[in-house]
Amino acid sequence: MFTIDTRSRTPIYEQLMEKLKELIIREVMKEDEQLPSVRVLAQQLTINPNTIQKAYRELEHQGYIYSIPGKGSFVSPVKNEINKERMEMLRKELERIVGEILYLGVPKDEVIKLIETMEEPERREDKND
Amino acid sequence: MFTIDTRSRTPIYEQLMEKLKELIIREVMKEDEQLPSVRVLAQQLTINPNTIQKAYRELEHQGYIYSIPGKGSFVSPVKNEINKERMEMLRKELERIVGEILYLGVPKDEVIKLIETMEEPERREDKND
DNA sequence: TTAACTGTATTAATATAAATAATACAGATG
DNA sequence: CATCTGTATTATTTATATTAATACAGTTAA
């Protein structure tokens, strides 16, 4: 499914979160799709189940997945009460990074251009639950 | 000068780096201005000199400050060979964060609006060394 | 030159966090 | 019932961050 660098200084569970988020954001994994179980993924990546569990727990807390005991873990539907803390954190991070980029001399226009090349995810409007 | 949260889960040296970068980016501290010495700052913040040293070392590696043994540590002039690794890392981080924000349903226009409200640092063009 | 600064380096000890390991429990499913 | 799922707990090991105590060399001013 993906690879983990056990020697990296960034913790395994964080790497896992990034990779999984990537799959969710790029919509490789879609709403309500089941994630590999804690044990299966642990075996595939040859890392400890507890580490997977930690990553899943965090992703659930951030609103990216939801878990049902006995059934499994699944990708969260996007619009369901976006985590406000997370949104606030992202806004701050964005400001920090753009601030740093501007300081380093990259003109604002270029930053905006970069963002304009990025794709907005397509989404149905009609699916109001 | 600033405050450090020793109980925070983010390492002290990272907090220090953020705070100092903030001062440099907001141009509270200007080119070639001297930073407090390792020992003085350590005493002020009541943390270990080695921790300050670590932060300074990293900031130097990222191109934000330069140190002269026996003299002190100073804010780097901005245009002097921007750290390309760092620029690349910032670009990637930007893409990651904006990607996540877009995924969460914030329209691209709004992200761009936010960036447009940010101030570009003013800089002389004539000072070509 | 001496005294008091500066950054830098090293080595050891301690504290905190991450990761592994071994289980256990309860819900879901066929 | 057997086997899958998530979740929780406790202990141990390993890695990282932090402190501590020095040492050395360059700078600066008295």
Side-chain angles (χ1 to χ4, degrees):
Chain A
M1 198 167 193
F2 37 64
T3 53
I4 293 295
D5 180 8
T6 53
R7 297 181 189 178
S8 167
R9 42 269 153 226
T10 69
I12 295 174
Y13 80 96
E14 281 184 19
Q15 290 182 53
L16 249 171
M17 288 179 63
E18 282 176 30
K19 301 275 187 182
L20 288 171
K21 248 189 225 177
E22 180 94 12
L23 292 181
I24 295 173
I25 287 176
R26 303 253 175 269
E27 291 177 317
V28 176
M29 303 202 65
K30 312 207 170 172
E31 283 192 14
D32 301 315
E33 189 174 335
Q34 185 163 12
L35 294 156
S37 83
V38 167
R39 290 171 181 80
V40 167
L41 192 52
Q43 201 168 17
Q44 278 184 7
L45 303 175
T46 55
I47 58 183
N48 196 280
N50 297 359
T51 307
I52 313 284
Q53 198 188 333
K54 186 170 183 180
Y56 278 18
R57 197 192 309 135
E58 263 303 297
L59 283 173
E60 182 161 22
H61 179 250
Q62 287 186 9
Y64 283 91
I65 70 175
Y66 63 95
S67 297
I68 303 175
K71 296 197 72 174
S73 299
F74 309 85
V75 176
S76 288
V78 246
K79 280 291 185 185
N80 82 354
E81 258 314 298
I82 299 297
N83 197 330
K84 284 187 184 176
E85 305 169 49
R86 175 111 199 107
M87 198 57 231
E88 187 51 26
M89 171 176 287
L90 285 170
R91 201 186 54 74
K92 275 186 191 163
E93 266 202 88
L94 179 68
E95 283 189 339
R96 183 180 60 77
I97 288 178
V98 174
E100 195 164 336
I101 291 175
L102 294 180
Y103 173 77
L104 291 179
V106 178
K108 207 191 280 185
D109 301 349
E110 263 189 51
V111 179
I112 291 175
K113 245 184 239 166
L114 177 64
I115 291 174
E116 270 167 351
T117 66
M118 295 180 67
E119 281 190 19
E120 235 166 358
E122 297 168 23
R123 238 164 242 146
R124 308 247 166 65
E125 310 260 351
D126 44 78
K127 209 180 182 180
N128 287 3
D129 42 323
Chain B
M1 199 165 191
F2 37 63
T3 53
I4 294 295
D5 180 7
T6 53
R7 298 180 189 178
S8 168
R9 42 270 154 224
T10 68
I12 295 174
Y13 80 96
E14 282 185 18
Q15 290 183 52
L16 248 171
M17 288 179 65
E18 282 177 30
K19 300 275 187 182
L20 288 172
K21 248 190 223 176
E22 179 94 14
L23 292 181
I24 295 173
I25 287 174
R26 302 252 176 269
E27 292 179 317
V28 176
M29 301 203 65
K30 311 208 168 170
E31 283 191 15
D32 300 315
E33 188 174 335
Q34 185 162 11
L35 294 156
S37 84
V38 169
R39 291 172 181 82
V40 166
L41 191 53
Q43 203 169 14
Q44 278 184 6
L45 303 175
T46 55
I47 58 183
N48 196 281
N50 296 358
T51 307
I52 311 284
Q53 198 189 331
K54 186 170 184 180
Y56 278 19
R57 196 192 309 134
E58 264 303 297
L59 283 173
E60 181 160 23
H61 179 248
Q62 288 187 8
Y64 284 91
I65 69 175
Y66 63 95
S67 297
I68 303 175
K71 295 197 71 175
S73 299
F74 308 86
V75 176
S76 289
V78 246
K79 281 290 186 186
N80 81 356
E81 255 318 295
I82 299 298
N83 196 331
K84 284 186 184 176
E85 304 169 49
R86 175 112 200 108
M87 197 58 231
E88 187 52 26
M89 170 176 285
L90 284 171
R91 202 186 52 73
K92 275 186 191 162
E93 266 201 87
L94 180 67
E95 282 189 338
R96 184 179 60 78
I97 288 178
V98 174
E100 196 165 334
I101 291 175
L102 293 180
Y103 173 77
L104 291 179
V106 178
K108 206 191 280 184
D109 301 350
E110 263 189 51
V111 179
I112 290 174
K113 245 183 240 168
L114 177 64
I115 291 174
E116 272 167 350
T117 66
M118 295 180 67
E119 282 189 21
E120 236 167 357
E122 297 166 24
R123 238 163 242 144
R124 307 248 166 64
E125 309 261 350
D126 43 80
K127 209 180 183 182
N128 286 3
D129 41 326

